[in-house]
Amino acid sequence: MALEQHLVVHLQHMFVNERDYQMYLCDWAGRVKDQQLKAAVNTEIQGINQEMDNLKRCLDELGAPLNDDMTSPLVKALRLDDDATMDAMPDATPLDMDTHLAMTDISFGSAEIGTYQSMLTLAKMGKHAGVAHILEETLQHEEEDLQKMQSLLCSLSSLGGGEQRAA
């Protein structure tokens, strides 16, 4: 029972992380200048709807309610990092801001993958095959998204020519 409760709590928290991150990306979407990054962000915003649906399906399969009346501490930390980064870079160019968003997305995606892997392990240990299947599909999608954003970051970095800015 304890493993199942851990799984339920993490499914609920991941739902909140996804929901709040979707709002975070929507806040950023209008500021993105690079067209490839803009397309990736818009695709990710849409994809999060499916991820939230998958999390709800997992909770339904476990007979657990969706507890979404909380906020994501992870997304709150990302917003604080945005503030700190922009304070440290008062002369940030649009490319700098796009690069920051890509780096933030990679950080968030890495955290998501770790959480999905952990939930998948708990689902398998608890013999919840249906939940495990849903989580495996979602994990695969998250890994693909992370690879795309890592490639995009490389292309953004090449646009900057590797130039160093004077402090």
Side-chain angles (χ1 to χ4, degrees):
M1 183 62 168
L3 287 179
E4 186 172 307
Q5 189 59 38
H6 279 289
L7 179 56
V8 167
V9 168
H10 286 288
L11 287 165
Q12 292 169 336
H13 287 184
M14 183 53 79
F15 180 88
V16 170
N17 284 340
E18 296 284 11
R19 180 201 64 204
D20 290 1
Y21 191 63
Q22 186 179 48
M23 289 187 287
Y24 173 88
L25 288 176
C26 286
D27 291 346
W28 266 94
R31 295 183 270 172
V32 175
K33 299 299 181 202
D34 181 84
Q35 292 305 306
Q36 287 183 309
L37 180 60
K38 185 182 288 279
V41 167
N42 287 329
T43 298
E44 189 163 358
I45 288 169
Q46 296 306 312
I48 290 173
N49 291 325
Q50 180 62 50
E51 292 164 14
M52 290 189 303
D53 287 344
N54 288 349
L55 292 163
K56 286 182 203 176
R57 286 178 38 219
C58 289
L59 289 166
D60 287 345
E61 190 152 324
L62 294 169
L66 174 62
N67 179 9
D68 64 347
D69 63 346
M70 53 189 139
T71 58
S72 168
L74 179 56
V75 175
K76 182 178 181 180
L78 295 176
R79 290 183 186 279
L80 291 171
D81 183 60
D82 289 349
D83 293 342
T85 300
M86 293 304 115
D87 286 349
M89 298 177 67
D91 297 326
T93 66
L95 177 60
D96 293 328
M97 294 182 74
D98 285 357
T99 300
H100 173 74
L101 177 59
M103 292 174 64
T104 298
D105 193 70
I106 290 167
S107 296
F108 184 79
S110 296
E112 281 182 304
I113 287 170
T115 301
Y116 277 109
Q117 289 171 334
S118 298
M119 291 187 304
L120 177 57
T121 299
L122 290 176
K124 288 179 178 179
M125 290 172 61
K127 303 197 185 319
H128 299 289
V131 172
H133 179 72
I134 294 167
L135 292 173
E136 283 173 340
E137 287 179 355
T138 306
L139 177 59
Q140 182 180 359
H141 175 74
E142 293 292 353
E143 289 170 340
E144 291 167 2
D145 284 350
L146 180 61
Q147 289 175 345
K148 287 176 191 172
M149 192 56 68
Q150 288 169 330
S151 295
L152 195 50
L153 177 61
C154 290
S155 71
L156 287 173
S157 296
S158 68
L159 290 175
E163 65 191 23
Q164 299 262 336
R165 296 199 181 280

